[in-house]
Structure formats: structure tokens, C-alpha cells
Amino acid sequence: MIEIVCNDRLGKKVRVKCNPDDTIKDLKKLIAAQTGTKWNKLVLKKWYTIFKNHVQLQDYEIHDGMNLELYYQ
């Protein structure tokens, strides 16, 4: 299990525990459960990289304790 921190810079910081072989879509669904928004309205970024839904976390080299930027569509 890894823990990922997602910050939307509007005062909401979400900590999510997931597996490295989960997809970005699975991560978005876990975030949506905590924030109360729909998962398909969330966009996850790191710098200028926008993460695609079908790719696994380990393929993007997302590790334990990593911070991701959370945006709303």
C-alpha cells in the first residue's frame, strides 16, 4: 500500500491509500469518495504532466508519499 497526497490549492488536501498496480481511474474514484465530487470531473497533474485514466500508478512512477496536483474540470 502507498499513500498519495492530492492538493487542489483551494484548501482541500486529500490523503489516499492505494496499491501501486491501481490505475489513475481507481485513484480518482478514491479521491472522489472523500471529496464528494464525481471522479470524471477530476484531473491529476504533476508539473505539466496530465495523468491518463488507463495507466497504472507504477508506470508513472508514483511512489509512497508523493504529492499530486488536483484540478476540477
Side-chain angles (χ1 to χ4, degrees):
M1 292 289 277
I2 60 173
E3 184 176 65
I4 298 168
V5 179
C6 298
N7 190 357
D8 69 352
R9 298 186 183 171
L10 296 172
K12 198 175 286 186
K13 197 177 226 184
V14 181
R15 292 181 177 267
V16 179
K17 290 199 180 274
C18 55
N19 294 319
D21 58 346
D22 287 346
T23 61
I24 296 292
K25 182 178 178 180
D26 297 333
L27 177 61
K28 285 183 180 181
K29 287 183 179 182
L30 292 171
I31 295 168
Q34 288 189 18
T35 60
T37 59
K38 294 183 179 180
W39 71 268
N40 55 355
K41 296 293 183 184
L42 299 176
V43 178
L44 294 174
K45 288 185 183 180
K46 184 70 174 181
W47 288 91
Y48 294 105
T49 304
I50 299 173
F51 297 125
K52 304 291 182 189
N53 287 336
H54 65 282
V55 182
Q56 291 184 347
L57 300 177
Q58 61 193 4
D59 294 337
Y60 276 127
E61 297 181 3
I62 296 175
H63 302 294
D64 187 33
M66 194 163 180
N67 293 312
L68 299 179
E69 301 164 10
L70 178 63
Y71 295 95
Y72 304 103
Q73 238 177 357

